[in-house]
Amino acid sequence: MERDWVVLLAGINRPIALAEANAVLSRIDLFCEIAGASLFGILLSKFDPVTCLKLAAGLMLGTLPVVVVLTWLTNKLSTGVLDRTKTSQIHCKTSPEEPLPNDGNKVNIGLEAIKHGWKEYMQQPVLPASLAFVLLYFNVVLTPGSLMTAFLTQHGLNPSIIGGFSGLCAFMGIAATFISADLVRRFGILKAGAAGLIFQASLLTIALAVYWSGSLTHQRPLLFFLSLIVLSRLGHMSYDVVGAQILQTGIPPAKANLIGTTEVAVASLAESVMLGVAIVANNVSHFGFLALLSLLSVVGAACMFCQWLLNPTDEHRSLFSFDPQF
């Protein structure tokens, strides 16, 4: 809904305003993630885990009314833009005379909804951009996360350096939200997306080459390896913001929620599959293989998007007629 609402608030035909709105939303998300993790860490240093969980739950409950009020206020200040009706989506109705569906029918309805969502997802006009976004979720190794933390711990790296690595990756994400709007302003939406993917793929290729060189047993090459991953987050988060705008621009408003939900489901499935592979190949000696799979997914995303960009159709020219690319 957030993706859908920001289009209504910023306007689909105002690419710079939409890019800035997406960047601000991502920036707020990242700031809140950093602040939340820091606050929870402070609480853990002073209280026991159960008390910290109670405080976190209480904070979530306490802020829920604030979220509702702010949403209402947003709608009011934007003269009811969130209330504007769109083309009705496919839904099922049951008349008072008809019996309620039994469990078997509910299963069939659920399966039909999944099939319909998948069909609409595959037929969307900006499918390559969406698939590139999904492919990035296969990268679960060359990114700040549990697998990278385990790898660095196995190498005996100082915990403060590991924490600094994660923190720098988060701040690079915030920096990318400032850069993405400027990229859209300078190059247009499509070239800005390609720039983010190519930048990330290039740096991760160098990082993997450093790993395969076998020099990570020394601290300086290891820190260079981590620095490349940190810088690659600029490209990743830039595409995260720009890619969202491409989908917001290219998907018909009546199908935005359906296609957006399906995309999130497919991306989560991709991440789960990769984590499943990591569980099977759980020995630290398999880290290079997992890193190679992660790199191939990012390179594949960049190639797919660039191929789509270099071979536009009349439909793409119509959808992105305001873009300098066309």
Side-chain angles (χ1 to χ4, degrees):
M1 292 194 305
E2 180 184 283
R3 238 188 219 181
D4 201 13
W5 283 3
V6 73
V7 178
L8 295 175
L9 292 168
I12 193 170
N13 294 320
R14 301 174 62 209
I16 304 302
L18 186 56
E20 291 175 348
N22 283 323
V24 169
L25 282 175
S26 297
R27 198 175 304 145
I28 291 171
D29 284 342
L30 289 167
F31 268 125
C32 289
E33 284 183 17
I34 294 171
S38 302
L39 176 61
F40 198 73
I42 293 170
L43 291 175
L44 278 174
S45 67
K46 296 184 176 181
F47 305 102
D48 62 276
V50 175
T51 303
C52 293
L53 289 173
K54 288 179 180 178
L55 290 170
L59 183 63
M60 291 166 65
L61 290 172
T63 53
L64 180 59
V66 178
V67 174
V68 175
V69 170
L70 288 176
T71 305
W72 172 81
L73 188 61
T74 301
N75 192 37
K76 184 179 179 182
L77 293 175
S78 61
T79 62
V81 70
L82 302 182
D83 292 327
R84 295 177 189 172
T85 57
K86 300 182 297 181
T87 306
S88 60
Q89 298 182 12
I90 296 174
H91 60 280
C92 298
K93 292 183 179 179
T94 305
S95 65
E97 294 79 12
E98 291 177 348
L100 292 173
N102 55 36
D103 291 339
N105 287 336
K106 288 178 181 178
V107 172
N108 291 332
I109 291 172
L111 291 174
E112 286 300 319
I114 293 172
K115 290 178 182 178
H116 177 64
W118 179 253
K119 182 179 178 182
E120 292 290 349
Y121 178 76
M122 295 303 295
Q123 291 177 348
Q124 63 171 304
V126 290
L127 179 62
S130 179
L131 290 177
F133 174 80
V134 170
L135 280 172
L136 294 181
Y137 274 78
F138 279 99
N139 178 19
V140 297
V141 176
L142 299 176
T143 183
S146 56
L147 294 177
M148 179 58 72
T149 301
F151 171 74
L152 297 176
T153 303
Q154 287 285 335
H155 272 68
L157 203 61
N158 192 304
S160 61
I161 297 178
I162 298 175
F165 164 72
S166 299
L168 284 173
C169 285
F171 280 110
M172 278 295 171
I174 294 172
T177 63
F178 289 96
I179 294 172
S180 58
D182 189 56
L183 285 174
V184 172
R185 188 180 295 108
R186 288 173 178 270
F187 305 113
I189 302 174
L190 301 178
K191 285 186 178 178
L197 288 172
I198 292 171
F199 184 77
Q200 183 186 9
S202 301
L203 289 178
L204 291 184
T205 300
I206 300 172
L208 190 63
V210 172
Y211 172 83
W212 284 111
S213 69
S215 58
L216 293 189
T217 52
H218 305 290
Q219 189 171 30
R220 186 171 295 178
L222 181 58
L223 293 178
F224 179 60
F225 170 75
L226 295 179
S227 300
L228 290 168
I229 294 176
V230 168
L231 288 173
S232 75
R233 301 303 292 173
L234 277 173
H236 176 86
M237 286 306 301
S238 294
Y239 184 76
D240 189 70
V241 176
V242 176
Q245 185 174 350
I246 292 172
L247 297 173
Q248 290 164 340
T249 305
I251 297 174
K255 299 177 180 179
N257 288 336
L258 178 64
I259 293 175
T261 304
T262 305
E263 181 190 65
V264 172
V266 175
S268 298
L269 178 62
E271 188 175 18
S272 299
V273 168
M274 194 61 183
L275 288 173
V277 173
I279 290 172
V280 175
N282 56 13
N283 194 291
V284 70
S285 61
H286 296 141
F287 181 85
F289 170 71
L290 295 174
L292 179 61
L293 290 180
S294 293
L295 174 63
L296 289 176
S297 68
V298 176
V299 172
C303 292
M304 180 182 294
F305 186 88
C306 290
Q307 179 70 20
W308 176 64
L309 183 62
L310 293 173
N311 297 282
T313 63
D314 292 337
E315 184 180 21
H316 297 153
R317 290 189 176 92
S318 174
L319 287 171
F320 301 99
S321 57
F322 53 83
D323 196 275
Q325 171 71 14
F326 303 122

